[in-house]
Amino acid sequence: MPSVQLGAAAGDVRIAYDDHGGGGPVVVFLHGGWGADLYPVEAQAAALHGRARLLVPTRSGYGASTPLAELAPGFHRRAAAETLAVLDALGIGSGVLWGHSDGAVIAVHAGLMAPDRVSGIVLEALHLYGDKPGSQRFFADTAEDPGWVGERAAAILAAEHGTDRWRTVLRMNARAWLALGEQLPRPADLYGGRLGELRPPVLVVHGREDPRTEPGELDAICAALPEARQLLLTGGGHSPHSERAVADEVTAALAGFVADVAS
């Protein structure tokens, strides 16, 4: 897997990435809090091949990139700056950011930081609130014992992050979200009320049965982004792009959005 070294201004870290090739406009997939491999993008890479170049950088703390012991406060903003630094290191002026879960939060911050570098944003399973009462037990259980995920998921996570490290990765993400719940009680949100200030075109992709979405959260996201395209999927969960029942709809919407914003 190729990698780039980022300087001190971006945290002095090495970032590994997958390059699915394909030419044309650049699409950057920003993975969720457990990494990229558990929610694969191969179907979307195949659909985009020949029409766009799909890059999947692995954030610091994950996979073959520079490891971290903890995710510091403001980790989403730090990762957004890191993403822009990766584009610089690869000589990419702008691209479509497709973020999933934590990656969608990072995509929003990158779009607010550098709107001229972002030609479009796909927000899949976006979080608005740091305070997640419905997921409190999920995060607490994960922080205590990530082994609850089961053998199949554990094997995928171990292959990506390392046999001795995948538990650390899950724990640090869970602890970071537990801390966000304390730092950002309602009505505060993860963007300081600035979600509606996004300038690039936006596609919202969200499963209506996403267990990480709080009551009213999706409605608030859509209200803040009234001009965004919406793909709200009945039967979709937390990762619509990799869920058999709805993945084809996500792939088609993604390809159409990329073609439109790149034209």
Side-chain angles (χ1 to χ4, degrees), residues 105-179:
V105 178
I106 293 163
V108 170
H109 283 294
L112 292 171
M113 285 178 183
D116 294 339
R117 304 289 305 278
V118 182
S119 53
I121 304 179
V122 180
L123 301 175
E124 180 186 2
L126 178 66
H127 303 284
L128 178 62
Y129 304 125
D131 180 22
K132 296 271 190 175
S135 294
Q136 186 83 6
R137 176 47 53 192
F138 170 82
F139 292 130
D141 287 348
T142 304
E144 181 178 351
D145 179 18
W148 70 262
V149 301
E151 292 183 3
R152 176 185 172 278
I156 296 171
L157 292 162
E160 180 176 7
H161 307 299
T163 302
D164 298 324
R165 179 158 176 80
W166 72 269
R167 291 178 178 82
T168 298
V169 169
L170 267 61
R171 284 191 175 108
M172 73 177 185
N173 181 258
R175 286 193 292 261
W177 274 97
L178 290 170

Side-chain angles (χ1 to χ4, degrees), residues 18 20 36-37 39-48 54 98 241:
D18 280 328
H20 292 270
D37 289 358
Y39 306 109
V41 297
E42 276 70 20
Q44 291 77 34
L48 291 173
L54 179 62
W98 165 24
H241 79 266

